[in-house]
C-alpha cells in the first residue's frame, strides 16, 4: 500500500475548511517481506556445526560508510534524506530492508539525496559507497548503520543493542556467489530478514561462531537466520533453534 499524502480539505462550515494532518510514521503500512510466494514451515530438525567455530568477518579495509544522514518523512508521504559524500567513492547504493532502493553516481557533489516513494513502518534504511560503478564485491564499502523514522518523523540511527538475545531457527546455505548486500558469500556471512535484523549486525551463533548480516533469502522470514557453510556442512547443519547474542 502506498501513501501519497495530499492535503485534503474538509468542509466544516460554510466557507470554512480543515486541513487533514500530514502523514506520520505511525500510519505507514507495515513493511512486507520482499518474497511474495508461499514460504513453507521450517520445523526444527536438529543437526551439527562445522566443528571449528567461524571467526568474525573483517570489513575494515573497505571504504567507510556514508555519514551525516539527515531527513525524514515529508508531507508528500515520501521519505527523503541526504548524506555526505565519501572520499574516493564513485557511486553509492541505498537499501530499504535489504532491498535496493537507489543507485547514486558521485559527481563531486558535497551531499547526495535518497528518496523512498513507498515507505513503510520501521523500515531500515542503509547505504554504502563504492570505489567503482561495476558493483564488484571488492568495490563495495562498509554498510552504514540502519536509520529508522522516529516519533518526530525524522530518520535516526538504529541498531539492536549489544547483548540482546534472539531465539531463532537457524538454517544453513552454501551458495558461492555475491550476497544480496554484494559481498562475496563465505564463512561468517549470514542471511537475515532485514526488516528485523539490519545488515551489518554482528551476532554469535552457538555451534557456528560469529555472523555478519549481509544477505537475505526468499525463505528467510521472521525468526529465521541462514548461516553460510561449505558444501555438505550446510546440509549437516539442519535446522536448529538457538539463542543468538548480538555483539
Amino acid at each position: 500500500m502506498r501513501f501519497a499524502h495530499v492535503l485534503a480539505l474538509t468542509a466544516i462550515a460554510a466557507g470554512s475548511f480543515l486541513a487533514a494532518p500530514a502523514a506520520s510514521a505511525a500510519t505507514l503500512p507495515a513493511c512486507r517481506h520482499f518474497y511474495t510466494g508461499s514460504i513453507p514451515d521450517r520445523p526444527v530438525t536438529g543437526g551439527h556445526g562445522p566443528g571449528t567455530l567461524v571467526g568474525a568477518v573483517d570489513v575494515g579495509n573497505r571504504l567507510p560508510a556514508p555519514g551525516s544522514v539527515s531527513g525524514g518523512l515529508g508531507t508528500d508521504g515520501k521519505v527523503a534524506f541526504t548524506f555526505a559524500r565519501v572520499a574516493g567513492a564513485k557511486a553509492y547504493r541505498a537499501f530499504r530492508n535489504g532491498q535496493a532502493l537507489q543507485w547514486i553516481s558521485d559527481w563531486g557533489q558535497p551531499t547526495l539525496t535518497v528518496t523512498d516513494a513507498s515507505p513503510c513502518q520501521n523500515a531500515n534504511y542503509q547505504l554504502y559507497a563504492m570505489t567503482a560503478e561495476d558493483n564488484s564485491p571488492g568495490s563495495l564499502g562498509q554498510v552504514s548503520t540502519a536509520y529508522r523514522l522516529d516519533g518526530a518523523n525524522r530518520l535516526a540511527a538504529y541498531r539492536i543493542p549489544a547483548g540482546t538475545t534472539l531465539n531463532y531457527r537457524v538454517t544453513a546455505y552454501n551458495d558461492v556467489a555475491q550476497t544480496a548486500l554484494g559481498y562475496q558469500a563465505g564463512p561468517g556471512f549470514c542471511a537475515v530478514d532485514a526488516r528485523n535484523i539490519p545488515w551489518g549486525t554482528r551476532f554469535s551463533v552457538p555451534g557456528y561462531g560469529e555472523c555478519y548480516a549481509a544477505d537475505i533469502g526468499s525463505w528467510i522470514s521472521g525468526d529465521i537466520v541462514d548461516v553460510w557453510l561449505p558444501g555438505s556442512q550446510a546440509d549437516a547443519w539442519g535446522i536448529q533453534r538457538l539463542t543468538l547474542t548480538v555483539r
Side-chain angles (χ1 to χ4, degrees), residues 42 86 108 129 136 151 153 160-161 210 227 239:
R42 310 293 296 282
V86 174
S136 59
N153 293 339
I160 301 174
E210 300 299 316
V227 301
I239 301 175

Side-chain angles (χ1 to χ4, degrees), residues 124-223:
N124 292 314
Y125 294 97
Q126 296 185 264
L127 303 153
Y128 61 57
M130 298 180 286
T131 58
E133 295 201 52
D134 60 7
N135 205 37
S136 59
S139 74
L140 310 180
Q142 300 174 43
V143 69
S144 73
T145 186
Y147 293 87
R148 283 188 176 187
L149 292 172
D150 61 18
N153 293 339
R154 307 300 296 173
L155 283 180
Y158 168 81
R159 77 179 302 270
I160 301 174
T164 298
T165 56
L166 304 169
N167 187 244
Y168 268 42
R169 287 171 289 171
V170 184
T171 59
Y173 72 118
N174 57 12
D175 297 355
V176 182
Q178 284 182 258
T179 68
L181 178 59
Y183 300 164
Q184 187 65 39
F189 287 104
C190 298
V192 298
D193 185 338
R195 297 173 301 174
N196 303 330
I197 300 178
W199 277 345
T201 301
R202 295 182 182 273
F203 53 93
S204 61
V205 179
Y208 177 79
E210 300 299 316
C211 257
Y212 182 83
D215 208 351
I216 56 177
S218 299
W219 292 0
I220 311 304
S221 177
D223 68 335

